[in-house]
């Protein structure tokens, strides 16, 4: 099972930020959508200091950042939004668990996006963070990906109600898109587990058990990723009447309740799949035991066949001088015939009893 390991890092000043992920060579770039029900403007490849020129506070502004390997770039965005350093640190530190924070008028959401690795049984992890403040939604991705392609197209083509809603509804759509990856990952795991179960019925190779344990680790990792997301969404769901989260419109809390319900469904499915894996392990060990019992049964039957024959051979192998059968001309052939008939009789008896 995957364990959280403590790594003693170098001592730095609190104001210094450092990206801890694996995509250290991804070029940092930004994309900005500014829209309302009537108009849409899209901006690509511009500098951070040009954000003020393009942002329109009377409309919804979605600033999407690809690549976190340039902390200075992230710091400039934080300075523009007047975001505290601890939020920027959580954006750059990919080892943090999923969390939700609101500090002053800024809503911060940190989530893990999981997808299956097509070339192995591993799960690919990417941290995605969100800042929501004053009608501006900023999303931070470790690398360029297509998680939100369909949402961009909905904005461009004015499909659905996204252009009629505020930035909090856009946050719901982005979170929902990320959660769809959990469904994809679980479905992929279920397909592989089904193949393992079918394979275990035909083979007793120990590599099957290793793969079962690998998928059990994957399910536990999924569970550990979804539980904090469930808790974060519940915190939104439970305080909708407290007027704490000013960044979310009261009419849009129901959308986040749907996401919370999805988390519960995902966790229930994971529990069911873990039970299936336990059944697969039990079936594998049962198959192993059955195979061993068959081998022992065969060896036992063969041993029983030769026990009376060994007794007869032992008797006539004694070095007594007066053994009448030893002087008989046909004694050797009679004893061989007797041994053969005894063997046939035992085979017939065992077959009749269905002992083999």
């Amino acid at each position: 099972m995957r364990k959280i390991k403590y790594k003693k890092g170098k001592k730095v000043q609190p104001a210094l930020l450092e990206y801890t992920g694996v995509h250290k060579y991804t070029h940092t770039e930004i994309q900005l959508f500014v829209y309302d029900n009537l108009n849409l403007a899209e901006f690509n490849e511009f500098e951070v200091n040009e954000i003020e020129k393009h942002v329109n506070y009377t409309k919804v502004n979605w600033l999407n950042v690809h690549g976190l390997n340039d902390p200075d770039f992230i710091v400039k965005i934080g300075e523009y939004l007047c975001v505290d350093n601890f939020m920027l640190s959580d954006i750059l530190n990919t080892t943090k668990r999923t969390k939700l924070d609101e500090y002053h008028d800024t809503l911060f959401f940190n989530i893990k996006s999981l997808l299956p690795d097509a070339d192995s049984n591993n799960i690919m992890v990417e941290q995605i963070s969100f800042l929501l403040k004053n009608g501006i939604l900023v999303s931070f991705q470790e690398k360029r990906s297509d998680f939100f392609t369909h949402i961009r197209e909905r904005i461009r083509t004015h499909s659905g109600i996204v252009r009629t809603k505020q930035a909090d509804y856009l946050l719901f759509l982005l979170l929902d898109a990320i959660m769809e990856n959990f469904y994809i990952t679980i479905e992929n795991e279920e397909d592989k587990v089904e193949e393992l179960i079918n394979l275990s019925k035909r083979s007793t190779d120990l590599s099957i058990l290793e793969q079962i344990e690998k998928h059990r680790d994957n399910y536990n990792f999924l569970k550990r990723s979804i539980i904090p997301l469930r808790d974060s969404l519940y915190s939104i769901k439970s305080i909708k009447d407290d007027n704490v989260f000013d960044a979310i419109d009261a009419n849009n809390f129901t959308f986040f309740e749907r996401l919370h319900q999805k988390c519960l469904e995902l966790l229930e499915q994971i529990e069911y799949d873990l039970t299936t894996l336990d059944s697969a392990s039990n079936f594998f060990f049962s198959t192993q035991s059955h195979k061993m019992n068959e081998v022992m049964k065969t060896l036992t039957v063969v041993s029983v066949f030769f026990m009376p024959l060994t007794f007869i051979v032992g008797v006539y192998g004694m070095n007594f001088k007066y053994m009448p059968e030893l002087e008989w001309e046909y004694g050797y052939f009679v004893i061989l015939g007797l041994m053969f008939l005894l063997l046939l009789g035992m085979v017939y008896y065992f077959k009749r009893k269905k002992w083999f």
Side-chain angles (χ1 to χ4, degrees), residues 202-238:
R202 305 188 302 269
S203 173
T204 55
D205 191 347
L206 288 178
S207 63
I208 297 176
L209 185 60
E210 294 177 1
Q211 294 181 57
I212 289 175
E213 293 304 316
K214 172 62 178 175
H215 288 293
R216 181 177 281 108
D217 288 343
N218 287 345
Y219 276 120
N220 286 324
F221 180 69
L222 277 164
K223 189 176 179 179
R224 288 172 57 188
S225 299
I226 296 174
I227 287 177
L229 176 60
R230 177 203 62 187
D231 296 340
S232 298
L233 291 170
Y234 182 78
S235 66
I236 296 179
K237 172 186 174 183
S238 60

Side-chain angles (χ1 to χ4, degrees), residues 3-265:
K3 297 181 179 179
I4 299 176
K5 295 183 179 180
Y6 170 73
K7 293 184 179 179
K8 185 177 180 180
K10 60 182 181 180
K11 294 182 179 180
V12 297
Q13 296 296 327
L16 296 180
L17 304 174
E18 183 178 357
Y19 172 58
T20 62
V22 298
H23 305 284
K24 296 185 180 296
Y25 303 102
T26 301
H27 175 65
T28 303
E29 55 187 19
I30 55 179
Q31 180 186 40
L32 176 64
F33 284 86
V34 181
Y35 64 86
D36 59 12
N37 191 30
L38 300 176
N39 300 296
L40 168 66
E42 182 176 347
F43 305 95
N44 297 281
E45 300 297 333
F46 60 93
E47 299 298 328
V48 180
N49 52 18
E50 298 176 342
I51 294 178
E52 181 68 31
K53 181 175 64 175
H54 301 305
V55 167
N56 187 335
Y57 290 99
T58 64
K59 300 180 180 180
V60 177
N61 302 270
W62 175 25
L63 183 65
N64 193 24
V65 180
H66 296 107
L68 304 179
N69 62 318
D70 187 356
D72 294 335
F73 193 97
I74 308 302
V75 169
K76 290 179 181 178
I77 295 178
E79 291 174 349
Y80 171 74
L81 295 174
C82 300
V83 175
D84 289 310
N85 267 9
F86 80 89
M87 290 186 180
L88 300 180
S89 176
D90 287 343
I91 292 172
L92 294 172
N93 188 352
T94 59
T95 63
K96 294 287 186 179
R97 72 196 297 265
T98 296
K99 63 182 296 186
L100 172 70
D101 279 325
E102 189 191 35
Y103 189 70
H104 297 314
D105 56 349
T106 303
L107 178 66
F108 172 74
F109 212 119
N110 190 18
I111 187 174
K112 305 294 183 184
S113 177
L114 308 181
L115 276 176
D117 189 346
D119 300 326
S120 68
N121 289 327
N122 296 323
I123 296 178
M124 299 183 296
V125 184
E126 179 184 352
Q127 177 172 286
I128 301 178
S129 304
F130 301 98
L131 290 173
L132 179 61
K133 180 177 181 179
N134 299 331
I136 301 177
L137 176 63
V138 187
S139 55
F140 299 88
Q141 298 179 249
E142 293 188 68
K143 60 183 179 65
R144 180 175 286 277
S145 57
D146 57 355
F147 299 154
F148 308 139
T149 301
H150 64 290
I151 298 177
R152 294 188 184 93
E153 289 303 314
R154 288 175 64 178
I155 294 174
R156 293 182 181 119
T157 60
H158 206 323
S159 300
I161 62 174
V162 59
R163 292 269 292 272
T164 64
K165 291 286 188 176
Q166 298 302 312
D168 53 347
Y169 180 77
L170 177 61
L171 174 61
F172 155 73
L173 291 179
L174 299 180
L175 292 174
D176 187 56
I178 295 173
M179 291 187 65
E180 287 300 318
N181 294 339
F182 286 100
Y183 285 98
I184 294 173
T185 304
I186 292 177
E187 183 178 356
N188 181 78
E189 287 292 316
E190 289 175 340
D191 291 339
K192 291 182 178 180
V193 168
E194 185 177 357
E195 292 177 4
L196 278 177
I197 294 175
N198 293 332
L199 184 61
S200 65
K201 296 178 180 179
R202 305 188 302 269
S203 173
T204 55
D205 191 347
L206 288 178
S207 63
I208 297 176
L209 185 60
E210 294 177 1
Q211 294 181 57
I212 289 175
E213 293 304 316
K214 172 62 178 175
H215 288 293
R216 181 177 281 108
D217 288 343
N218 287 345
Y219 276 120
N220 286 324
F221 180 69
L222 277 164
K223 189 176 179 179
R224 288 172 57 188
S225 299
I226 296 174
I227 287 177
L229 176 60
R230 177 203 62 187
D231 296 340
S232 298
L233 291 170
Y234 182 78
S235 66
I236 296 179
K237 172 186 174 183
S238 60
I239 50 82
K240 63 181 179 180
D241 297 326
D242 296 340
N243 296 321
V244 176
F245 283 83
D246 298 331
I248 299 178
D249 186 84
N251 296 324
N252 290 334
F253 277 106
T254 181
F255 297 112
F256 293 92
E257 291 178 5
R258 294 179 188 177
L259 295 181
H260 179 259
Q261 186 63 35
K262 281 189 174 183
C263 285
L264 298 180
E265 293 175 358

